[in-house]
Amino acid sequence: MLGFAQAGKAAGATLLTGGRIPEDPSLGGGNFLMPTEFTEVAADAMIACDEIFGPVLSIFRFDDDDEVVARANA
């Protein structure tokens, strides 16, 4: 999951929150990542195209329903 967070930053997406391991010492022994949200994500970025099974979210803006459908079908 850290790789996805790093890939989002490398692709120029704007990190809103997260993208790091929690500072809470009780979570230090596990595989945890803070919930991570990106905006300004390019349509061809890894975090936009890959199916991510973890707390990494790409947030997109749309002008109309047709744009939503076109993006979903792409």
Side-chain angles (χ1 to χ4, degrees), residues 7-46:
K9 291 184 226 176
T14 301
L15 177 65
L16 290 181
T17 188
R20 60 183 171 75
I21 297 170
E23 296 173 6
D24 184 338
S26 68
L27 300 175
N31 294 312
F32 297 99
L33 179 71
M34 298 295 293
T36 304
E37 298 176 344
F38 286 100
T39 60
E40 308 302 322
V41 179
D44 61 347
M46 180 194 310

Side-chain angles (χ1 to χ4, degrees), residues 48-70:
C49 297
D50 287 5
E51 201 168 0
I52 302 174
F53 295 99
V56 179
L57 177 68
S58 297
I59 301 170
F60 297 93
R61 291 180 186 250
F62 299 99
D63 293 323
D64 56 42
D65 292 343
D66 291 334
E67 187 179 353
V68 173
V69 173

